[in-house]
Amino acid sequence: MTLLPLGGDPVAGEGARLLRSDDGRTFAVHVVDGSYLVSDPLCPHNKGPLVEGQVDGRVLRCPWHWYRFDLATGECLTQPALRLGVYPVRRADDGWVADVGEKPPALSMSQRLRAHARGETP
C-alpha cells in the first residue's frame, strides 16, 4: 500500500492539481465541496489532462472529448467500457492521504511494445 500525502484540510471550493508519489506515479487531486477526490491524471479514452477538466458535483468531464466520469466509483458515464482509476482518501495523523495501491510491476520489453502498438503509454 502506497499512501500519497494530500496535505491538511482541503479549502472549501473547487480546484485540481497534480501530485507525484514517492514511486514516481502521478495522480490528479480534485477538491470538491471541501473534500479531496483522487484519480488517475489522464483520461482513459484518449489521455486528456483531467486536472484541466470540469467537475460538476462528483462528475468529472474530460476537457478534450467531454467524456464524463463518476469520481466516487470511476465509472465512465459516456462509454461504460472505460473506467477511471479512483483512490480512497482518509484522515491520517498529519493530514489527509490517498491509498494509491502498489506500483505495478515493470513490463517486459514485449509487453511494452504491444502496449505501444495499441497506442497506450506503458
Side-chain angles (χ1 to χ4, degrees):
M1 165 173 61
T2 301
L3 296 178
L4 178 68
L6 304 175
D9 289 329
V11 178
E14 296 184 5
R17 61 190 162 114
L18 289 175
L19 276 183
R20 185 174 302 274
S21 67
D22 290 339
D23 59 20
R25 294 179 291 158
T26 304
F27 299 91
V29 178
H30 311 273
V31 177
V32 179
D33 296 330
S35 298
Y36 286 120
L37 299 169
V38 179
S39 73
D40 288 336
L42 301 176
C43 178
H45 166 245
N46 203 17
K47 310 296 183 229
L50 293 178
V51 294
E52 297 175 14
Q54 182 178 12
V55 178
D56 183 18
R58 297 204 180 244
V59 175
L60 170 64
R61 187 176 69 209
C62 177
W64 284 6
H65 299 108
W66 297 3
Y67 277 56
R68 296 177 304 125
F69 299 91
D70 182 332
L71 283 172
T73 64
E75 176 185 5
C76 181
L77 306 174
T78 310
Q79 176 65 27
L82 297 177
R83 189 158 205 81
L84 178 66
V86 294
Y87 305 93
V89 174
R90 65 179 170 85
R91 181 90 173 143
D93 293 334
D94 55 348
W96 292 88
V97 294
D99 180 357
V100 295
E102 297 299 323
K103 183 176 182 178
L107 299 177
S108 70
M109 183 55 78
S110 64
Q111 290 170 319
R112 291 175 57 84
L113 288 170
R114 282 193 295 265
H116 179 74
R118 289 190 301 265
E120 299 171 1
T121 304

